[in-house]
């Protein structure tokens, strides 16, 4: 099994929601999703992991690489609800990654202009429910 993703680009920040397993196959798909994020949004990116069943070391490395890619573009990566079966330990070359307990906490921190507005754009994989 791999991941499915749903991306919502708002005015002040973006949310990339994941479901499934972020393993070797999912890491490749996640890297592609980060390409979408870079091309279609601005500001911080919150990766909502509440739908992930698990993640492997390769999945964690893909998240660290995503933080680097976003950082190189002047954006930051934040995580919400990381899976309980692993912890993210970036090396010294990784930009800081903020970790939120859940998506609601992340949204509350960023939602200055109300992401519930009609200014949102959304994309998702075909398997996203």
């Amino acid at each position: 099994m791999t991941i499915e993703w749903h991306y919502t680009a708002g005015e002040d920040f973006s949310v990339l929601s994941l479901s499934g397993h972020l393993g070797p196959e999912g890491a490749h798909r996640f890297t592609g999703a980060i390409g979408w994020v870079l091309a279609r949004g601005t500001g911080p990116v919150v990766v909502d992991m509440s739908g992930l069943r698990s993640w492997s070391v390769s999945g964690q490395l893909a998240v660290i690489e995503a933080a680097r890619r976003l950082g190189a573009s002047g954006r930051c990566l934040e995580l919400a609800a990381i899976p309980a079966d692993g912890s993210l330990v970036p090396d010294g070359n990784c930009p800081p990654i903020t970790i939120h307990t859940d998506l609601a906490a992340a949204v509350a921190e960023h939602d200055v202009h109300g992401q519930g507005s009609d200014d949102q754009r959304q994309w998702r994989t075909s398997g996203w429910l």
Side-chain angles (χ1 to χ4, degrees), residues 7-87:
Y7 177 61
T8 302
E11 184 178 325
D12 300 315
F13 69 102
S14 301
V15 176
L16 177 63
S17 298
L18 305 177
S19 68
H21 171 68
L22 185 55
E25 291 176 27
H28 179 70
R29 196 167 203 179
F30 175 72
T31 298
I34 292 298
W36 276 85
V37 168
L38 285 166
R40 291 167 179 83
T42 60
V45 177
V46 176
V47 178
D48 173 19
M49 300 183 138
S50 59
L52 279 185
R53 288 191 268 270
S54 61
W55 60 348
S56 69
V57 171
S58 50
Q60 293 176 27
L61 292 173
V63 170
I64 292 168
E65 182 57 29
R68 286 189 187 112
R69 287 178 66 195
L70 288 163
S73 296
R75 298 174 71 184
C76 65
L77 180 112
E78 301 180 13
L79 302 177
I82 64 171
D85 64 345
S87 62

Side-chain angles (χ1 to χ4, degrees), residues 76-127:
C76 65
L77 180 112
E78 301 180 13
L79 302 177
I82 64 171
D85 64 345
S87 62
L88 187 68
V89 183
D91 61 22
N93 296 325
C94 185
I97 299 173
T98 301
I99 299 180
H100 303 277
T101 54
D102 56 28
L103 183 57
V107 170
E109 186 172 314
H110 289 289
D111 201 9
V112 177
H113 294 101
Q115 288 280 78
S117 71
D118 293 335
D119 294 337
Q120 294 182 5
R121 296 167 308 207
Q122 298 185 17
W123 297 268
R124 64 182 175 271
T125 55
S126 60

